[in-house]
DNA sequence: AGATCGACCTGGCCGC
DNA sequence: TGCGGCCAGGTCGATC
């Protein structure tokens, strides 16, 4: 399940192996992999063909490549739950769940593939926000900056938490408040912060918000370091299991296992059609 | 406008 | 062994 660190590793791979190349052809093998394109997959392919790809960018879990032509557009990617962007030799066998293939007009001998078992992810083509330095696609202008972005506004984030009538984990997963955090990193950061997922955000003090952000950044940077080590090959080859799943998680998936701080058995609570893992002793639920 | 919830999707796993 | 059903979960759009 790619969250911010995994997506950043993919971005670096794209910057190294796809940016600067010109698209020779696009093959869409599954219509659902092309998103929000009313004119259809064939038109998507036609629009992209002949375009030179600019430097790969990322905000939260979204990735995009600005097109260097005069259109001022960008090709946007979201990996969803199971998406991968792979730079593969042109003669490598097709993956079972290959959805989109981009061939290039150079002699590098590699192509870019979007592979996605569950098709929650996809590619799309968008206008970019006028004047934005990083060619932000207009459809993701509602996505907040992520906590690793130097321009992330901590004071504004805290103010938004205080204003909202919601709970802390819901807020962490709300990509319009802070982006890049998914279920796994939310649970990890909350455990490190000794915060129960159901704590109201309105009661958070500024130091508590600062501590939470510090832990989010720590867990993401550790994951990035782990994922980065697997990125030394010729190919972008990253998925939700990149590196981070090899290291031990402190909260996620550890139901009934001892808390690494106090030894109390960890718990799993059903939460918004998914699960929250927490230590019932270190992370006390709020009084109702 | 803010909050909530269902739909989307497929493979792995569990229980009968 | 086979099969049905559940689970994983990020995002968007509909609804209140």
């Amino acid at each position: 399940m790619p969250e911010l660190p995994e997506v950043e590793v993919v971005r670096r791979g794209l910057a190294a192996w796809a940016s600067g190349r010109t698209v020779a052809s696009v093959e869409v093998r599954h219509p659902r992999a092309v998103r929000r394109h009313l004119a259809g997959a064939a038109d998507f392919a036609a629009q992209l063909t002949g375009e030179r790809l600019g430097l790969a960018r990322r905000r939260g879990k979204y990735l995009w490549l600005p097109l260097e032509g005069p259109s001022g557009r960008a090709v946007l990617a979201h990996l969803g739950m199971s998406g991968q962007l792979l730079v593969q030799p042109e003669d490598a066998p097709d993956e079972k769940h290959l959805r989109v293939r981009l061939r290039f007009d150079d002699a590098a001998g590699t192509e870019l593939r979007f592979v996605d078992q569950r098709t929650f992810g996809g590619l799309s083509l968008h206008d970019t926000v006028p004047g934005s330095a990083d060619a932000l696609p207009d459809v993701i202008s509602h996505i907040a900056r992520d906590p690793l972005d130097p321009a992330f506004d901590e004071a504004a984030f805290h103010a938004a938490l205080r204003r909202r009538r919601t709970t802390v984990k819901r807020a962490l997963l709300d990509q319009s408040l802070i982006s890049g955090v998914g279920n796994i990193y939310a649970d990890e950061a909350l455990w490190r912060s000794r915060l129960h997922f159901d704590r109201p955000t309105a009661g958070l003090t500024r130091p508590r918000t600062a501590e939470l952000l510090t832990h989010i950044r720590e867990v993401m940077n550790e994951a990035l370091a782990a994922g980065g080590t697997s990125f030394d090959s010729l190919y972008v080859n990253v998925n939700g299991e990149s590196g981070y799943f090899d290291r031990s998680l402190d909260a996620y998936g550890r139901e009934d296992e001892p808390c690494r701080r106090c030894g109390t058995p960890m718990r799993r609570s059903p939460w918004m059609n998914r699960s929250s893992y927490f230590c019932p002793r270190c992370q006390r639920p709020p009084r109702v």
Side-chain angles (χ1 to χ4, degrees), chain A residues 158 160-172 177 198-205 209:
Chain A
H158 178 68
L161 291 182
R162 300 279 305 187
R163 200 165 51 236
R164 289 285 181 105
R165 289 293 175 269
T166 189
T167 51
V168 65
K169 187 170 171 182
R170 281 177 188 270
L172 290 182
L177 293 178
D198 231 4
R199 281 273 297 271
T201 58
L204 288 177
T205 62
T209 300

Side-chain angles (χ1 to χ4, degrees), chain A residues 1-192:
Chain A
M1 289 141 271
E3 298 185 27
L4 185 154
E6 291 78 17
V7 177
E8 172 59 16
V9 174
V10 175
R11 188 202 66 77
R12 293 176 187 180
L14 290 175
W17 306 110
S19 294
R21 302 178 74 182
T22 298
V23 178
S25 66
V26 179
E27 182 186 351
V28 178
R29 319 244 316 186
H30 191 303
R32 209 182 133 73
V34 171
R35 298 308 178 94
R36 312 194 233 200
H37 201 85
L38 292 178
D43 185 73
F44 172 85
Q47 302 281 336
L48 204 46
T49 300
E51 291 280 356
R52 188 168 187 264
L53 305 177
L55 183 62
R57 313 275 187 176
R58 183 188 56 74
R59 176 176 288 198
K61 302 169 201 170
Y62 281 95
L63 280 167
W64 68 95
L65 295 149
L67 304 183
E68 293 187 341
S71 69
R73 289 185 296 182
V75 58
L76 178 67
H78 196 289
L79 302 178
M81 297 296 302
S82 55
Q84 296 171 276
L85 281 163
L86 310 173
V87 176
Q88 294 280 48
E90 289 167 352
D91 57 3
D94 289 357
E95 290 76 7
K96 182 177 180 188
H97 300 293
L98 175 64
R99 306 305 190 195
V100 182
R101 183 201 322 271
L102 267 65
R103 291 196 169 95
F104 298 102
D105 74 349
D106 51 55
T110 60
E111 59 187 33
L112 179 62
R113 300 179 182 180
F114 179 68
V115 176
D116 191 8
Q117 175 210 122
R118 288 161 69 180
T119 64
F120 268 36
L123 307 181
S124 52
L125 205 49
H126 302 284
D127 292 331
T128 57
V129 174
S132 82
D134 52 3
L136 185 73
D138 55 9
V139 293
I140 61 164
S141 54
H142 68 290
I143 301 290
R145 290 185 186 274
D146 60 66
L148 300 188
D149 185 332
F152 182 83
D153 188 338
E154 186 168 327
F157 176 63
H158 178 68
L161 291 182
R162 300 279 305 187
R163 200 165 51 236
R164 289 285 181 105
R165 289 293 175 269
T166 189
T167 51
V168 65
K169 187 170 171 182
R170 281 177 188 270
L172 290 182
L173 297 188
D174 184 338
Q175 305 293 303
S176 70
L177 293 178
I178 182 171
S179 68
V181 183
N183 199 41
I184 296 168
Y185 295 102
D187 279 3
E188 293 300 306
L190 289 168
W191 180 84
R192 291 185 184 206

Side-chain angles (χ1 to χ4, degrees), chain A residues 194-265:
Chain A
R194 296 177 164 86
L195 276 172
H196 189 275
F197 59 86
D198 231 4
R199 281 273 297 271
T201 58
L204 288 177
T205 62
R206 184 69 197 268
R208 213 76 173 98
T209 300
E211 186 190 352
L212 179 57
L213 278 169
T214 296
H215 287 133
I216 292 169
R217 291 184 177 118
E218 278 178 8
V219 75
M220 285 183 167
N221 279 321
E222 288 169 24
L224 197 46
T229 61
S230 66
F231 173 64
D232 54 6
S233 68
L234 178 58
Y235 307 118
V236 186
N237 194 347
V238 176
N239 53 38
E241 297 178 41
S242 67
Y244 194 47
F245 281 65
D246 296 338
R247 79 179 279 287
S248 59
L249 296 165
D250 291 319
Y252 184 83
R254 298 197 66 242
E255 183 178 19
D256 296 334
E257 294 177 48
C259 169
R260 292 198 217 278
R261 254 192 319 253
C262 74
T264 304

